[in-house]
Amino acid sequence: MIELIPAIDIIEGKCVRLSQGDYASKKIYNEDPVEVAKEFEDYGIRRLHVVDLDGAASHHIVNYRTLERIASRTSLIIDFGGGIKSDQDVVIAFENGAEMITIGSLAVKNPELFLNWLLTYGAEKIILGADVKDRMIAVNGWKDETTKELFPFLNDYIKKGVEKVICTDISRDGMLEGPSIDLYEEILQEYSNLYLIASGGVSCMADIRALDKAKIPAVIFGKALYEGHISLKQLNSYL
């Protein structure tokens, strides 16, 4: 059964969502992300994806205190991303309660450092973030496209030990238009043992059921929850 991973995106310590990574589209859903995380936990959610959007647009982690508050006040398994650019950032993330970290931009810009973290902390704790637009990798909070194609990028890192990948289709993120199931199926046809986490576009329970039917291991979703298109009660059969 597919693993459900709600997302909490943070700007200035508040729970927000963007559309297609556009910071100008910011909408605040709760002043206190801890309240949101506790509600998730009360309904049986076990896993959480936390993104430091201030960090993603910066050169270091910014909202680590919010991470610490969520981790210390819930028992949720947290994977954390955004602004992890140095050894110190990795230490800060783990010391403040992250069980796993997601690395996207740095895996593109500094493969040597990323692979060092993969070796040091292990494939269970390091998730590769593959943010794509028209099958090209994007970095820096999705502001910049690269010349790297998705499949060669994945292939290189999977050969070097990556086991978990969050793949976000930027064009669908926050748009409530449905996930890129064809893309995820194509990835799993190529890498059947990959723990692939789909991200972007989930709009309703039918999308989650379709991802589950396609045997996608896990899904991250946020806006559909916050906008009321999916209720926590509806998720019971998957928890």
Side-chain angles (χ1 to χ4, degrees), residues 11 16-23 25-26 53 173-174 223:
I11 290 180
V16 308
R17 293 301 286 175
L18 308 180
S19 296
Q20 296 182 322
D22 180 6
Y23 283 66
S25 71
K26 177 183 75 174
L53 288 173
D173 188 75
K223 196 168 189 177

Side-chain angles (χ1 to χ4, degrees), residues 33-152:
V34 176
E35 286 184 4
V36 180
K38 282 184 171 181
E39 186 179 9
F40 291 160
E41 185 177 39
D42 288 345
Y43 271 87
I45 295 289
R46 295 173 51 82
R47 175 89 180 267
L48 189 63
H49 178 65
V50 176
V51 181
D52 180 358
L53 288 173
D54 291 314
S58 182
H59 299 291
H60 54 82
I61 289 177
V62 176
N63 289 292
Y64 60 89
R65 295 193 188 282
T66 304
L67 167 64
E68 190 278 330
R69 288 177 62 240
I70 295 171
S72 64
R73 298 183 192 187
T74 73
S75 59
L76 293 165
I77 297 166
I78 301 170
D79 80 72
F80 179 84
I84 300 174
K85 302 289 198 302
S86 67
D87 291 334
Q88 183 182 14
D89 287 324
V90 174
V91 171
I92 288 170
F94 285 134
E95 284 187 347
N96 283 279
E99 293 272 347
M100 294 164 271
I101 56 173
T102 300
I103 309 296
S105 298
L106 186 130
V108 176
K109 296 178 176 180
N110 193 339
E112 188 177 332
L113 186 55
F114 174 81
L115 290 169
N116 182 52
W117 294 343
L118 188 66
L119 184 65
T120 302
Y121 296 98
E124 277 296 306
K125 289 188 170 290
I126 306 295
I127 304 170
L128 176 64
D131 302 326
V132 294
K133 189 171 184 180
D134 299 323
R135 301 200 174 209
M136 304 299 286
I137 298 293
V139 295
N140 295 338
W142 304 347
K143 294 192 297 292
D144 303 321
E145 289 183 49
T146 71
T147 57
K148 290 188 177 292
E149 296 179 16
L150 172 62
F151 278 84

Side-chain angles (χ1 to χ4, degrees), residues 111-232:
E112 188 177 332
L113 186 55
F114 174 81
L115 290 169
N116 182 52
W117 294 343
L118 188 66
L119 184 65
T120 302
Y121 296 98
E124 277 296 306
K125 289 188 170 290
I126 306 295
I127 304 170
L128 176 64
D131 302 326
V132 294
K133 189 171 184 180
D134 299 323
R135 301 200 174 209
M136 304 299 286
I137 298 293
V139 295
N140 295 338
W142 304 347
K143 294 192 297 292
D144 303 321
E145 289 183 49
T146 71
T147 57
K148 290 188 177 292
E149 296 179 16
L150 172 62
F151 278 84
F153 178 74
L154 291 177
N155 188 59
D156 185 43
Y157 275 125
I158 289 168
K159 285 195 300 186
K160 292 172 180 173
V162 162
E163 296 175 2
K164 298 178 181 179
V165 172
I166 295 174
C167 185
T168 304
D169 185 337
I170 296 166
S171 67
R172 300 196 181 218
D173 188 75
M175 302 307 290
L176 300 174
E177 294 176 352
S180 297
I181 294 175
D182 290 347
L183 175 62
Y184 302 134
E185 287 182 318
E186 192 178 338
I187 292 171
L188 287 178
Q189 283 171 7
E190 192 76 24
Y191 311 107
S192 58
N193 293 324
L194 182 67
Y195 194 81
L196 178 64
I197 305 166
S199 173
V202 171
S203 64
C204 59
M205 284 303 299
D207 289 335
I208 289 176
R209 287 192 288 269
L211 287 163
D212 188 36
K213 186 178 179 182
K215 302 190 184 306
I216 310 303
V219 58
I220 290 170
F221 56 102
K223 196 168 189 177
L225 267 179
Y226 298 119
E227 295 282 343
H229 297 278
I230 294 173
S231 71
L232 287 166

